[in-house]
Amino acid sequence: MFPDLSEYKWIVPDFIWELDQHIDFEKLSKALPDAEELSKLLPDFEKLGESFSLLKGWFSTGHNLVSEVIGPSDLLLFLGPGGETAFKATDSQTFEGSEKQFKKGLLGELILLQEQIQQHEEEARRAAGNINMGTSQQHRKVSDKDKIDQLQEELLRNQLKYQRILERLEKENKDLRKLVLQKDDKGIHQRKLKKSLIDMYSEVLDILSDYDANYNTQDHLPRVVVVGDQSSGKTSVLEMIAQARIFPRGSGEMMTRSPVKVTLSEGPHHVAIFKDSSREFDLTKEADLAALRDEIEVRMRKSVKNGQTVSPETISLSVKGPGIQRMVLVDLPGVISTVTSGMAPDTKETIFNISKAYMLNPNAIILCIQDGSVDAERSIVTDLVSQMDPQGRRTIFVLTKVDLAEKNVASPNRIQQIIEGKLFPMKALGYFAVVTGKGNSNESIDSIKDYEEEFFQGSSLVKKGMLKAHQVTTKNLSLAVSDCFWKMVRESIEQQADAFKATRFNLETEWKNNYPRLRELDRNELFEKAKNEILDEVISLTQVTPKHWEEILQKTLWERVSTHVIENIYLPAAQTMNSGTFNTTVDIKLKQWTDKQLPNKAVEVAWETLQQEFSRFMTEQKGKHDDIFDKLKESVKEESIKRHKWNEQAEDSLRVIQHNTLEDRSISDKQQWDAAIHFMEDTLQSRLKDTESVIRDMVGPDWKERWTSWTSRAPEQHIRNETKTELEKMLKVNEDHPAYLANDEVTTVRKNLEARGVEVDPVLIKDTWHQVYRRHFLKSELEHCNHCRRGFYYYQRHFVDSELECNDVVLFWRIQRMLGITANTLRQQLINTEVRRLEKNVKEVLEDFAEDSDKKVTLLTGKRVQLAENLKKVREIQEKLEAFIEALHKEK
């Protein structure tokens, strides 16, 4: 009859189990005496039996030891039918003399009380039989009724006394268990304790809550679903079970805005902790309790989306403490009958849908909370529960605020009808009546317990037998719910494990058929793979050659600034009459350009070049391309570029370098001179080509194109063509014509065109003149550039005694040299600073994305990802379930 003590092996220090490593037992056994000599040392077993009488003192004074070893729940194993102990049943002769001494202890008191209760029940039955006798025994009937009332009162007193003794034993056992757990918590033994059974089960539920049931494997694992009308005392009941005021409280307003899953388990300290947090809230301290309530309220409000009042998202919380019953409860938002102002219009339907979703689970235990202080006809939740569980096979009914009901209800029989399940249209496994306080939110759990016990001890409902002793107090409710929960778990866990095993097989088969050459990488593993690829591509930027950087930078920078140089510096200076004015104009305009625009434009070009090279490496396909990463890489690239800012001091240093470079006019050798002429020639050729393209669009197709393409000029194009011809005649007469057309010249051109029957506007003449003269000027400058090929000799002599002036070549040399030095400076900044800063930004972006689960779900999508995710979840669930089942069997 002794319990299995194998669970307490950890109490023995580790060195006991490791003695064979330090002591040679084989050598020791050889040194011991042989069996014959050893038998002489053994005690006389015949005399040993005479010492059994000493055990009687153990039973009278050792009830604490028994309580410590076997616990209160196993204490009843000592009691056999009729109050006899199990030990007495084994050998009545041995213990006959010690029975009276045994009954002097607490266990004896229990047995004597049980015998008295049985005797009173027997007398009550005999007296009840006398009531049914004939009219001739009326006087005896009255006396028997009095006797029955006396017996019932004495029976109730004995039951209460019996209950108090049991509670004392349980309290002593609770203190001992707390002491053992505290010793374990302080590290008295070195072995690591295994995870508790309820924690293992809660982990399975947490994984299931995140699992997307696309494969018809529904979550049918048991949990206790707490439902009730708003302000029915639902949350207070849960707090009494958890033994702490952990939930936000309000006066008549909705406080539970989302489901809260509470995992209750036994532990040395009364603490609470969220699933996704490491902070422990000490439930014995009011400050921590207030912080916990605030945190729950904040999480609830965060889970509620804009425009909504409640949310289906579950908040997971674990509560541990001495004497807490192990189970998993889900507190749901209270059911309402009317949507009030400030609530979303669909609040009522949303709460119904959330409640139904949890209650549809065929293995969910429904804890139906009903306010006893209001009329039963106002109940909403009972109809909902009866729809979900019409047979009442998994429903436990709880009537709250019984103290108020007893005062206010005119007919106490109505409460009895509720508890017996006759008033509401619903069935239940059990019916309980509880009191969860006097309505003061500042009451402690201990004071509520005392008030509840005191109330039921003096309640007429209990005295008159309307409520049975086992149907009252939250303590009895907690024990009953815990028993029902674990019974349901044991009955359903194997079936759920088989269902997930089948689902895993189906998913693995689907993967093999669709992706036979790919590893099963879930979303997090794919993200890590993409992260490494992106970081490798960023590192590749440091491998770009300096020559490549400078060529790209110089080319891009000239494309950006060439229009400004030609239109705002070169062409205005070229219109001057002598070289002195040309150089003065150039120097002034270059200084203004360097001070205001050039450094900033150069930094922009460098930054865009870095972006282009980074994008090229990111999109460049190396080997077999996996398009599953494309969206992630593009997002990382965009976010990194957005965060990257060029060093602000770079512009200042670059401005000084560019200014000094443009001030230098000394061309040292013929090679540089020829390079400048080539640069100038290419630039003018490009501008001439653009100008001719503009003129062609203005005048339309020429005669060849009109004949070959069957096209014709528009009326405006015809007018422009006639104007162009007239202006070209003017330039042939005066090739050195200035850039601007005088008013009298405009009038002359207009009259000549009118003489030919062409009506033209002066504005059109000036607009056409600008392009015609530009073409004429660029052609003349190209001829001049060709003449300057032999001008290096005259340049060295400062063009003394020479009609050839090549100051424009010097200008283009200065521009070309500035572009080269700027590109070199920007390249150094890129390699030495900006590439590393960009790499740092990329790492920060990847770290932010890694912590953002929603971001990963958005960027890593597709059937392959979802299938790998489901496989990972199902495997994890199956492994957790198998580990839980193994632990459950061991505990059983």
Side-chain angles (χ1 to χ4, degrees):
M1 298 301 294
F2 279 100
D4 181 12
L5 299 179
S6 60
E7 296 183 4
Y8 299 94
K9 288 175 66 177
W10 51 265
I11 295 176
V12 181
D14 285 341
F15 72 87
I16 296 296
W17 309 109
E18 299 171 358
L19 281 175
D20 58 339
Q21 299 179 10
H22 307 286
I23 301 175
D24 190 348
F25 287 104
E26 185 177 353
K27 185 182 292 184
L28 187 64
S29 64
K30 292 179 181 179
L32 291 172
D34 56 14
E36 293 181 0
E37 295 178 358
L38 194 61
S39 62
K40 297 177 182 179
L41 302 175
L42 293 176
D44 188 353
F45 288 103
E46 294 179 358
K47 295 182 178 181
L48 193 62
E50 300 175 0
S51 301
F52 269 118
S53 59
L54 295 175
L55 291 174
K56 62 183 180 181
W58 180 81
F59 283 107
S60 61
T61 60
H63 66 276
N64 289 334
L65 178 61
V66 175
S67 174
E68 178 181 356
V69 174
I70 65 177
S73 59
D74 296 325
L75 184 61
L76 299 178
L77 293 175
F78 282 92
L79 304 178
E84 293 184 338
T85 63
F87 287 128
K88 185 176 179 182
T90 56
D91 192 349
S92 59
Q93 293 179 355
T94 305
F95 292 100
E96 183 177 359
S98 62
E99 183 177 2
K100 293 181 180 178
Q101 184 68 22
F102 169 74
K103 288 186 178 180
K104 290 181 181 179
L106 282 174
L107 294 175
E109 289 184 34
L110 288 174
I111 296 169
L112 291 173
L113 280 171
Q114 189 179 19
E115 290 176 352
Q116 292 176 13
I117 290 169
Q118 290 175 349
Q119 291 175 5
H120 292 324
E121 287 176 348
E122 183 64 27
E123 291 180 8
R125 282 195 294 270
R126 286 198 302 269
N130 293 334
I131 295 175
N132 296 325
M133 297 180 68
T135 55
S136 61
Q137 299 178 351
Q138 291 294 326
H139 62 282
R140 186 175 177 181
K141 179 178 178 182
V142 175
S143 62
D144 286 341
K145 282 184 178 180
D146 295 337
K147 190 174 183 182
I148 288 173
D149 293 338
Q150 294 175 0
L151 288 172
Q152 285 181 342
E153 290 181 4
E154 190 173 357
L155 179 63
L156 180 61
R157 285 196 299 272
N158 287 334
Q159 285 179 337
L160 293 174
K161 187 176 180 182
Y162 183 83
Q163 183 73 20
R164 284 196 295 272
I165 293 173
L166 278 177
E167 288 175 358
R168 281 179 58 192
L169 290 171
E170 288 180 359
K171 186 177 184 304
E172 291 176 4
N173 180 63
K174 176 181 173 181
D175 294 340
L176 289 171
R177 288 174 65 86
K178 181 178 178 180
L179 183 62
V180 171
L181 288 168
Q182 285 176 339
K183 287 181 179 179
D184 172 54
D185 191 53
K186 293 177 181 177
I188 297 299
H189 60 89
Q190 301 273 330
R191 287 201 189 120
K192 290 184 178 179
L193 284 176
K194 293 182 179 179
K195 194 174 292 185
S196 70
L197 202 61
I198 192 65
D199 288 336
M200 294 171 68
Y201 185 74
S202 181
E203 284 184 3
V204 175
L205 295 182
D206 287 336
I207 299 170
L208 280 172
S209 66
D210 299 330
Y211 175 64
D212 186 13
N214 288 331
Y215 294 88
N216 297 323
T217 306
Q218 297 178 355
D219 172 15
H220 287 166
L221 289 177
R223 67 265 278 163
V224 181
V225 180
V226 187
V227 295
D229 297 336
Q230 185 179 340
S231 302
S232 62
K234 171 176 54 66
T235 301
S236 299
V237 171
L238 206 157
E239 287 182 331
M240 290 292 288
I241 296 174
Q243 300 180 17
R245 308 300 292 267
I246 59 177
F247 290 104
R249 312 190 71 79
S251 180
E253 61 178 316
M254 179 180 291
M255 299 305 297
T256 307
R257 296 180 177 270
S258 66
V260 182
K261 181 175 76 70
V262 183
T263 303
L264 301 177
S265 59
E266 193 172 26
H269 307 291
H270 203 184
V271 295
I273 186 170
F274 288 99
K275 179 187 77 170
D276 56 354
S277 172
S278 59
R279 178 185 176 183
E280 280 192 351
F281 295 88
D282 189 346
L283 302 184
T284 61
K285 297 179 181 178
E286 189 56 40
D288 278 23
L289 275 170
L292 176 61
R293 290 192 289 265
D294 292 341
E295 179 67 18
I296 292 175
E297 186 171 5
V298 168
R299 288 174 179 251
M300 284 182 180
R301 294 191 181 278
K302 281 184 178 179
S303 67
V304 177
K305 298 179 180 178
N306 291 334
Q308 299 295 315
T309 306
V310 293
S311 167
E313 294 182 20
T314 304
I315 298 172
S316 294
L317 177 72
S318 294
V319 176
K320 299 183 179 181
I324 294 179
Q325 298 297 318
R326 303 178 304 167
M327 65 184 104
V328 177
L329 302 100
V330 182
D331 185 23
L332 299 179
V335 178
I336 61 174
S337 59
T338 305
V339 177
T340 59
S341 61
M343 290 185 178
D346 61 344
T347 301
K348 180 179 177 181
E349 290 74 16
T350 304
I351 294 174
F352 266 76
N353 293 334
I354 293 173
S355 301
K356 286 180 179 179
Y358 277 91
M359 289 190 288
L360 278 173
N361 178 357
N363 296 319
I365 300 162
I366 304 171
L367 199 62
C368 179
I369 310 298
Q370 173 62 38
D371 188 348
S373 64
V374 299
D375 295 335
E377 289 76 13
R378 292 167 57 186
S379 175
I380 307 170
V381 72
T382 50
D383 290 336
L384 180 62
V385 171
S386 62
Q387 293 175 17
M388 298 294 104
D389 184 25
Q391 301 302 320
R393 294 174 180 170
R394 51 191 180 89
T395 300
I396 296 176
F397 182 87
V398 182
L399 187 68
T400 61
K401 306 179 184 179
V402 181
D403 53 339
L404 299 178
E406 188 178 41
K407 293 178 184 178
N408 301 332
V409 177
S411 175
N413 293 329
R414 197 169 175 83
I415 298 177
Q416 185 178 10
Q417 286 180 317
I418 295 174
I419 293 299
E420 292 177 354
K422 297 177 181 179
L423 189 61
F424 288 112
M426 61 170 287
K427 300 178 182 179
L429 281 172
Y431 297 84
F432 289 85
V434 299
V435 174
T436 55
K438 301 177 183 179
N440 183 3
S441 60
N442 296 323
E443 288 179 286
S444 66
I445 294 295
D446 291 335
S447 64
I448 296 174
K449 283 183 178 179
D450 294 340
Y451 172 70
E452 182 183 44
E453 183 178 350
E454 181 182 349
F455 167 76
F456 281 117
Q457 284 179 357
S459 173
S460 61
L461 296 171
V462 179
K463 290 181 179 180
K464 293 179 180 179
M466 295 180 183
L467 294 177
K468 303 294 187 293
H470 67 274
Q471 289 182 303
V472 298
T473 73
T474 50
K475 182 177 182 180
N476 288 335
L477 169 65
S478 177
L479 291 169
V481 173
S482 179
D483 289 343
C484 186
F485 169 76
W486 285 106
K487 180 183 178 184
M488 193 74 79
V489 168
R490 290 187 175 92
E491 290 175 353
S492 62
I493 194 71
E494 299 278 359
Q495 183 180 0
Q496 283 289 291
D498 292 340
F500 277 100
K501 187 175 182 181
T503 302
R504 174 178 176 176
F505 175 79
N506 294 339
L507 292 174
E508 288 176 344
T509 303
E510 185 177 356
W511 182 276
K512 289 176 184 177
N513 292 332
N514 288 284
Y515 312 103
R517 298 180 180 275
L518 294 175
R519 288 192 299 126
E520 301 165 7
L521 299 179
D522 60 33
R523 188 170 277 110
N524 289 330
E525 291 169 333
L526 285 170
F527 182 83
E528 288 300 318
K529 183 179 178 182
K531 177 181 175 182
N532 293 330
E533 287 186 11
I534 292 170
L535 291 175
D536 290 342
E537 287 157 1
V538 176
I539 292 295
S540 299
L541 284 173
T542 60
Q543 307 303 317
V544 178
T545 62
K547 182 181 178 182
H548 180 73
W549 279 122
E550 291 185 18
E551 287 177 353
I552 295 176
L553 288 167
Q554 188 168 345
K555 179 183 177 183
T556 309
L557 181 59
W558 176 238
E559 289 175 354
R560 290 294 182 83
V561 302
S562 60
T563 300
H564 181 86
V565 171
I566 299 299
E567 303 295 335
N568 298 84
I569 298 176
Y570 172 63
L571 289 179
Q575 307 302 321
T576 57
M577 303 303 295
N578 55 64
S579 61
T581 309
F582 177 89
N583 291 330
T584 302
T585 303
V586 165
D587 290 345
I588 292 173
K589 290 186 177 293
L590 286 177
K591 178 71 166 59
Q592 293 174 347
W593 183 45
T594 307
D595 289 341
K596 296 179 180 179
Q597 299 180 19
L598 182 58
N600 180 262
K601 190 69 69 175
V603 169
E604 285 182 7
V605 167
W607 176 214
E608 291 176 8
T609 302
L610 179 60
Q611 292 180 39
Q612 292 170 2
E613 289 299 300
F614 180 46
S615 300
R616 181 172 67 85
F617 280 107
M618 291 282 283
T619 56
E620 195 175 55
Q621 297 184 9
K622 300 178 180 67
K624 190 174 180 180
H625 177 64
D626 193 347
D627 57 0
I628 204 168
F629 298 135
D630 289 351
K631 194 184 293 186
L632 174 62
K633 289 184 177 181
E634 184 65 24
S635 182
V636 170
K637 181 191 75 174
E638 292 177 357
E639 185 64 26
S640 302
I641 290 172
K642 189 187 299 182
R643 295 187 186 185
H644 185 80
K645 302 295 181 185
W646 202 274
N647 189 355
E648 295 179 356
Q649 298 177 353
E651 284 191 26
D652 297 333
S653 59
L654 192 60
R655 182 178 290 105
V656 175
I657 294 171
Q658 291 171 335
H659 189 272
N660 292 336
T661 304
L662 289 172
E663 282 188 343
D664 186 10
R665 294 193 186 91
S666 58
I667 304 176
S668 59
D669 54 32
K670 182 71 165 56
Q671 184 178 0
Q672 292 183 15
W673 181 268
D674 291 341
I677 289 176
H678 182 69
F679 175 56
M680 177 180 174
E681 198 171 40
D682 288 346
T683 302
L684 295 177
Q685 286 282 8
S686 174
R687 294 291 160 177
L688 178 60
K689 185 178 179 180
D690 294 341
T691 303
E692 288 180 341
S693 176
V694 172
I695 292 174
R696 184 203 170 281
D697 292 338
M698 289 172 60
V699 302
D702 58 10
W703 67 270
K704 288 184 179 179
E705 195 172 351
R706 291 200 302 273
W707 278 99
T708 56
S709 305
W710 289 86
T711 57
S712 60
R713 289 177 176 147
E716 186 180 353
Q717 290 177 333
H718 177 72
I719 294 172
R720 283 189 178 276
N721 183 59
E722 293 296 330
T723 306
K724 177 182 76 78
T725 305
E726 191 67 28
L727 292 172
E728 285 175 345
K729 290 178 182 179
M730 186 184 297
L731 285 173
K732 283 182 180 180
V733 174
N734 183 12
E735 292 185 354
D736 295 331
H737 194 288
Y740 300 101
L741 197 65
N743 290 332
D744 56 342
E745 292 175 321
V746 173
T747 304
T748 303
V749 171
R750 184 168 61 83
K751 288 182 177 181
N752 291 340
L753 290 172
E754 287 177 354
R756 298 207 302 266
V758 178
E759 293 291 336
V760 63
D761 185 74
V763 177
L764 187 143
I765 294 173
K766 291 181 178 180
D767 186 38
T768 307
W769 165 259
H770 176 71
Q771 298 300 329
V772 171
Y773 179 81
R774 184 185 179 87
R775 183 176 65 176
H776 169 74
F777 174 79
L778 290 173
K779 285 182 178 180
S780 62
E781 285 300 305
L782 281 170
E783 291 180 5
H784 176 70
C785 182
N786 193 34
H787 294 155
C788 286
R789 289 184 183 276
R790 54 185 177 82
F792 181 66
Y793 170 75
Y794 299 104
Y795 164 76
Q796 288 180 319
R797 297 182 60 187
H798 304 289
F799 300 105
V800 178
D801 299 330
S802 172
E803 294 181 358
L804 185 65
E805 291 183 357
C806 298
N807 292 306
D808 46 1
V809 177
V810 178
L811 169 63
F812 276 92
W813 176 80
R814 293 164 71 183
I815 297 294
Q816 186 182 36
R817 187 163 178 266
M818 180 275 298
L819 292 173
I821 292 177
T822 300
N824 179 270
T825 304
L826 292 174
R827 187 264 305 168
Q828 293 181 40
Q829 291 180 358
L830 280 170
I831 294 176
N832 298 335
T833 307
E834 301 305 326
V835 170
R836 294 178 183 175
R837 292 178 67 233
L838 179 62
E839 182 183 357
K840 181 182 178 182
N841 288 336
V842 171
K843 289 180 179 179
E844 291 176 354
V845 171
L846 288 170
E847 289 174 0
D848 292 344
F849 284 9
E851 296 175 358
D852 192 343
S853 300
D854 295 336
K855 197 81 171 178
K856 286 190 282 187
V857 171
T858 305
L859 298 176
L860 292 171
T861 58
K863 180 181 177 182
R864 171 179 150 198
V865 181
Q866 194 57 51
L867 185 58
E869 281 288 301
N870 288 332
L871 256 174
K872 176 190 175 184
K873 290 281 186 183
V874 169
R875 283 174 178 157
E876 188 176 5
I877 292 169
Q878 187 187 357
E879 290 171 2
K880 297 281 186 185
L881 281 173
E882 289 175 353
F884 174 74
I885 291 170
E886 183 181 355
L888 190 66
H889 288 164
K890 285 182 179 179
E891 183 180 82
K892 188 176 180 180

